[in-house]
């Protein structure tokens, strides 16, 4: 399901990494593709068409906005930047992931003992 | 090689609608070519082509498409309803005419209505491109099977009635029912799963709920949509959804220019004296209305004027219609205090409803002779249609000239549908709603008239800008 900026819908992986790519810097389409692949260490590899479908959705939800166009080597480039709403949504998502990671680490620190007691790991 | 490579990628853009290509085509092409150059490819990969097909076809299911399909559905419903009305009033019957009317009203109309709803919901972000396309295909198959099921049942019924063995399509009734049920379940499951996911339900719970609800609801929805009025109502709902989807899009784009206009058009609510008047009119209408219901049901047992049950019912309905007049006045004052529309767009439709009440009263003067009642009932139905058209047109009105024409088209077609499909059935029951609505107005009407104006459909920025000004004056 697509994230709509309402905080009631989980953010998808492509949405998360696109917003990460745009956080703090405006980028054009191909730069976003490169940045999402690099930042996610290859976990998210978008096609150009998928990227533009996602960008269209994020723009409609007010999380990003176009920020100028230019022609380089005869090819059109459109730049995008994250909006205040997009930054707030991303910050909320990061906070939620951090909380999940904290709980996960705490549980993993204790769980092996429990597993051994119940004989699960034997 | 470079020119050939460019052409291979450029061909992918043909899947997209022209307006999308004009707005985004060169940028998408540039990005695809940069990616291909970096990966040293001479053409699109299979997955890239497939993604372009899905996204391109999905982009065609936008708000404009939803409006066009909804208008087509409304036109079909009007044509089928007019055919049915003509056959009913003239008593003429043709098997092929009947088959055509049934196919259009219970096959084509619900299918177009459903496709329009899917396009609107895709445009609003509820469905992905792939899901919307899959829904259109599966819903088309489901509606076709649903229609064939109905025809098979009808043929089998006629054969049994004539005392002959069933043959042809009627022999496939059971497998058709099963196939329609399965495809209907698939379409509903695809819809509900997307809606439940939006509500952030637990994944397992959502899957169980989706499965159970789809299996149970599919045959219910299928049977309901085999009725012409229900299908027409679906088409009306689809048209309203498509109209508001397009309006939202345009209003978002035009928000800064629209803001001062909206601020000016929102009233500050009704005064204390007017609110008292609203409650008084509602109370009068409620008392007279409940008396009318009691008279219609029991009048023949105690009133010397009601010589039998039919006369008692007729006189009760006349009382209800008279009781409806102060209610319409109270409703007008409430709505004028809450909405930002011109007074003519509030009082005009209510005036048409009053005329419809008058025509209904004239019709019941001739009851129970249907031939004597029919002309006035038709007039009542037409006045109701006028009320619906007038009510919808300014509320669906979009931000620019062309869209205003579309809104008017949808409104006129909606009114015609009411007159041709629903009016003759629904109009006689409307008077019985008078005491219920009047009671609600008597209790809450004053509060509704004083409350903040309705902010539905406006962006948060506009709502903030428009509601902060009159807030203190209202309290």
């Amino acid at each position: 399901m697509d994230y709509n900026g309402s905080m009631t819908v989980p953010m998808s992986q492509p949405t998360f990494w696109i917003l990460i790519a745009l956080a703090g810097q405006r980028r054009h389409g191909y730069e976003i593709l490169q940045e999402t692949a690099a930042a996610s260490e290859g976990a998210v590899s978008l096609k150009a068409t998928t990227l533009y479908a996602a960008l269209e959705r994020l723009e409609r939800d007010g999380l990003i906005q176009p920020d100028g166009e230019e022609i380089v080597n005869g090819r059109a480039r459109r730049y995008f930047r994250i909006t205040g709403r997009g930054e707030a949504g991303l910050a909320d998502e990061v906070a939620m992931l951090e909380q999940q990671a904290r709980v996960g680490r705490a549980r993993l620190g204790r769980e092996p003992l429990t597993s051994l007691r119940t004989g699960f790991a034997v | 090689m470079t020119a050939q490579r460019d052409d291979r990628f450029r061909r992918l853009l043909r899947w997209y609608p022209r307006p999308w290509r004009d707005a985004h085509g060169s940028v998408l092409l540039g990005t695809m070519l940069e990616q291909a150059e970096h990966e040293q490819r001479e053409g699109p990969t299979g997955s890239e082509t497939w993604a372009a097909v899905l996204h391109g076809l999905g982009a065609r299911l936008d708000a404009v498409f939803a409006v066009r399909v909804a208008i087509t559905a409304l036109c079909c419903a009007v044509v089928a309803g007019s055919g049915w009305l003509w056959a009913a009033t003239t008593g003429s019957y043709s098997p092929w005419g009947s088959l055509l009317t049934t196919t259009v009203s219970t096959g084509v109309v619900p299918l177009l209505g459903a496709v329009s709803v899917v396009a609107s919901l895709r445009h609003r972000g509820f469905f992905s491109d792939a899901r919307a396309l899959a829904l259109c295909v599966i819903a088309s198959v489901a509606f076709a099977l649903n229609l064939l099921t109905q025809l098979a049942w009808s043929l089998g019924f006629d054969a049994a009635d004539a005392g002959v063995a069933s043959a042809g399509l009627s022999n496939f009734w059971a497998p058709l029912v099963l196939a329609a049920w399965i495809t209907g379940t698939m379409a509903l499951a695809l819809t509900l799963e997307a809606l439940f996911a939006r509500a952030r339900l637990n994944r397992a719970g959502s899957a169980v709920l989706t499965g159970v609800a789809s299996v149970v609801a599919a045959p219910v929805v299928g049977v309901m949509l085999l009725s012409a009025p229900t299908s027409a109502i679906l088409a009306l709902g689809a048209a309203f959804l498509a109209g508001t989807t397009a309006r939202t899009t345009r209003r978002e784009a035009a928000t800064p220019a629209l803001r001062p206009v909206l601020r000016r058009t929102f009233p500050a609510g009704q005064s204390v004296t007017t609110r008292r008047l609203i409650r008084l009119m509602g109370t009068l209408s409620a008392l007279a209305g409940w008396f009318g219901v009691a008279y219609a049901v029991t009048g023949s047992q105690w009133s010397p004027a009601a010589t039998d049950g039919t006369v008692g019912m007729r006189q009760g309905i006349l009382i209800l219609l008279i009781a409806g007049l102060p209610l319409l006045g109270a409703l007008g004052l409430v709505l004028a205090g809450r909405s930002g529309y011109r007074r003519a767009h509030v009082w005009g439709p209510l005036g048409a409803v009053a005329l419809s009440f008058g025509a209904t009263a004239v019709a019941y003067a001739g009851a129970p002779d249907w031939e004597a009642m029919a002309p006035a009932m038709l007039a009542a139905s037409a006045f109701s249609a006028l009320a619906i058209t007038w009510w919808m047109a300014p509320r669906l009105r979009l931000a620019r000239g062309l869209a205003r024409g579309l809104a008017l088209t949808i409104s006129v077609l909606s009114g015609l549908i009411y007159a041709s499909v629903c009016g003759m059935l629904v109009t006689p029951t409307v008077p019985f709603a008078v005491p219920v609505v009047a009671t609600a107005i008597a209790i809450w009407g004053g509060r509704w008239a004083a409350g903040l104006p309705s902010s539905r459909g406006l962006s948060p920025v506009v709502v903030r800008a428009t509601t902060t000004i009159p807030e203190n004056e209202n309290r």
Side-chain angles (χ1 to χ4, degrees):
Chain A
M1 189 63 216
D2 302 327
Y3 179 76
N4 66 352
S6 68
M7 305 299 129
T8 58
V9 179
M11 200 179 269
S12 68
Q13 283 287 302
T15 298
F16 178 76
W17 289 110
I18 289 170
L19 291 179
I20 288 284
L22 291 174
Q25 191 181 338
R26 71 173 201 145
R27 292 183 194 276
H28 62 79
Y30 183 57
E31 265 187 325
I32 299 173
L33 287 178
Q34 286 181 309
E35 185 60 25
T36 49
S40 68
E41 295 178 347
V44 172
S45 174
L46 295 170
K47 301 275 168 286
T49 45
T50 322
L51 171 74
Y52 277 92
L55 290 174
E56 216 175 310
R57 202 172 54 241
L58 293 173
E59 190 186 333
R60 187 187 57 217
D61 294 335
L63 304 180
I64 63 168
Q65 65 181 49
D67 193 23
E69 288 185 19
E70 64 179 16
I71 305 290
V72 177
N73 297 331
R75 287 175 192 156
R77 282 180 174 176
R78 182 175 296 157
Y79 286 84
F80 294 90
R81 69 176 179 80
I82 195 166
T83 61
R85 191 177 179 197
E87 280 178 340
L90 185 60
D92 282 352
E93 188 73 11
V94 169
M96 195 186 71
L97 289 172
E98 276 175 347
Q99 191 202 349
Q100 287 175 352
R102 246 192 333 269
V103 173
R105 274 196 297 272
R107 289 291 166 95
L108 283 169
R110 286 196 294 267
E111 292 251 323
L113 292 174
T114 313
S115 300
L116 283 171
R117 272 202 298 275
T118 55
F120 178 75
V122 178
Chain B
M1 284 304 277
T2 308
Q4 284 176 336
R5 184 183 61 194
D6 287 8
D7 283 345
R8 286 188 197 111
F9 281 99
R10 193 169 281 114
R11 274 200 289 274
L12 291 183
L13 296 179
R14 290 181 192 164
W15 292 100
Y16 291 83
R18 185 179 290 278
W20 197 98
R21 280 202 305 263
D22 292 343
H24 312 289
S26 58
V27 179
L28 173 61
L29 182 64
T31 307
M32 286 194 295
L33 288 171
E34 275 195 85
Q35 194 175 26
E37 211 168 67
H38 185 254
E39 293 171 4
Q40 295 180 327
R41 283 191 281 114
E42 283 303 314
T45 61
S47 61
E48 207 166 23
T49 305
W50 179 238
V53 171
L54 278 184
H55 186 215
L57 291 177
R60 290 174 187 273
L61 299 176
D62 61 0
V64 175
F65 176 82
V67 169
R68 284 181 183 156
V69 175
I71 287 178
T72 312
L74 292 176
C75 287
C76 290
V78 169
V79 169
S82 305
W84 175 84
L85 200 62
W86 182 77
T89 48
T90 60
S92 57
Y93 174 80
S94 145
W96 288 108
S98 173
L99 178 66
L100 188 65
T101 308
T102 304
T103 304
V104 172
S105 61
T106 61
V108 177
V109 172
L111 170 60
L112 293 176
V115 168
S116 172
V117 168
V118 168
S120 291
L121 292 181
R122 191 211 71 88
H123 190 93
R124 286 173 175 236
F126 283 85
F127 298 148
S128 65
D129 295 331
R131 188 182 294 266
L133 291 168
L135 262 170
C136 286
V137 173
I138 295 171
S140 302
V141 176
F143 280 117
L145 288 167
N146 203 34
L147 181 65
L148 286 174
T149 304
Q150 186 198 18
L151 294 176
W153 182 85
S154 183
L155 288 172
F157 186 86
D158 288 347
D161 207 31
V164 296
S166 60
L169 186 65
S170 56
N171 286 335
F172 294 96
W173 182 78
L176 281 170
V177 167
L178 188 64
W181 195 341
I182 290 170
T183 46
T185 300
M186 286 165 68
L188 278 174
L190 275 172
T191 307
L192 293 177
E193 202 247 337
L195 298 180
F196 287 153
R198 208 173 168 84
R200 215 168 189 171
L201 286 181
N202 167 286
R203 198 174 280 256
S206 166
V208 172
L209 201 58
T210 299
V212 173
S214 304
V215 170
V216 174
V220 177
V221 173
V223 170
M224 278 173 66
L225 291 176
L226 287 175
S227 136
T230 319
S231 295
I233 289 166
L234 171 67
L236 284 173
F240 197 80
L241 180 65
T244 50
T245 301
R247 183 177 69 169
T248 306
T249 308
R250 284 171 180 271
R251 181 167 285 180
E252 279 164 3
T255 293
L258 211 61
R259 208 172 298 158
V261 180
L262 290 167
R263 192 182 292 135
R264 191 172 61 242
T265 53
F266 273 93
Q270 298 290 15
S271 66
V272 176
T273 313
T274 310
R275 280 184 263 155
R276 279 192 194 135
L277 181 64
I278 289 168
R279 281 196 292 269
L280 177 68
M281 290 162 92
T283 307
L284 275 175
S285 192
L287 289 174
W290 288 118
F291 173 72
V293 171
Y295 193 100
V297 178
T298 65
S300 60
Q301 292 167 24
W302 53 268
S303 169
T307 48
D308 60 32
T310 307
V311 175
M313 177 61 74
R314 189 176 70 192
Q315 291 172 343
I317 289 174
L318 287 173
I319 294 169
L320 280 165
L321 290 166
I322 294 165
L325 296 177
L327 170 64
L328 291 176
L331 267 176
L333 291 172
V334 169
L335 295 168
R338 285 177 66 84
S339 74
Y341 297 102
R342 273 192 278 166
R343 287 186 175 188
H345 297 323
V346 172
W347 291 105
L350 290 172
V353 174
L355 288 173
S356 171
F357 278 15
T360 309
V362 171
Y364 273 96
D369 178 9
W370 174 245
E371 284 187 12
M373 290 177 74
M377 284 306 286
L378 265 174
S381 185
F383 282 128
S384 300
L386 174 65
I388 289 170
T389 305
W390 199 340
W391 185 262
M392 283 182 77
R395 285 157 183 82
L396 271 179
R397 195 180 65 211
L398 315 183
R400 293 175 193 165
L402 176 67
R404 201 169 287 176
L406 284 176
L408 191 62
T409 308
I410 292 176
S411 309
V412 170
L413 288 171
S414 303
L416 286 173
I417 283 180
Y418 180 84
S420 63
V421 182
C422 314
M424 298 288 271
L425 300 172
V426 176
T427 303
T429 64
V430 170
F432 287 91
V434 166
V436 179
V437 180
T439 304
I441 290 287
I443 297 170
W444 298 295
R447 194 190 306 169
W448 290 339
L452 282 173
S454 167
S455 58
R456 290 174 63 191
L458 303 183
S459 76
V461 177
V462 177
V463 173
R464 273 202 301 277
T466 52
T467 53
T468 47
I469 293 169
E471 195 166 24
N472 294 332
E473 297 167 25
N474 286 341
R475 301 298 174 207

